[in-house]
Amino acid sequence: MTLFGRTLGVEEISMLVFLLMSLAIWVMALRNEMAWTRWFRNWEARRKARREAELAQERGSNPTSPDGPRGPWG
């Protein structure tokens, strides 16, 4: 087999195959790491929103309306 005018032997071909395999593994690991980071950020934002809603409820205020409770049930 020739590549760019150079004849490649078994060693060179196997080296290229292993290099491509390691690149693919690295890309998959990076993708998984980015997905985990995205999941954690979303989880943290949801947790923070729940916590702020709980604190607002303990204070007796409605987080959606800054004027306070409305309606017959508060």
Side-chain angles (χ1 to χ4, degrees), residues 6-43:
R6 178 183 160 102
T7 303
L8 298 178
V10 176
E11 295 86 12
E12 287 90 2
I13 292 173
S14 62
M15 179 185 65
L16 286 173
V17 169
F18 286 121
L19 183 65
L20 289 174
M21 285 174 36
S22 65
L23 178 64
I25 290 172
W26 185 83
V27 167
M28 288 187 307
L30 179 64
R31 192 178 120 219
N32 287 339
E33 181 69 24
M34 290 173 62
W36 183 85
T37 303
R38 188 179 319 117
W39 172 84
F40 183 77
R41 285 181 182 157
N42 288 336
W43 175 80

Side-chain angles (χ1 to χ4, degrees), residues 27-71:
V27 167
M28 288 187 307
L30 179 64
R31 192 178 120 219
N32 287 339
E33 181 69 24
M34 290 173 62
W36 183 85
T37 303
R38 188 179 319 117
W39 172 84
F40 183 77
R41 285 181 182 157
N42 288 336
W43 175 80
E44 186 70 20
R46 287 191 311 267
R47 185 189 67 80
K48 185 177 179 182
R50 281 194 311 266
R51 181 66 180 146
E52 287 176 356
E54 288 173 0
L55 290 175
Q57 186 178 14
E58 287 176 3
R59 287 189 304 249
S61 65
N62 189 353
T64 57
S65 68
D67 300 334
R70 294 180 183 210

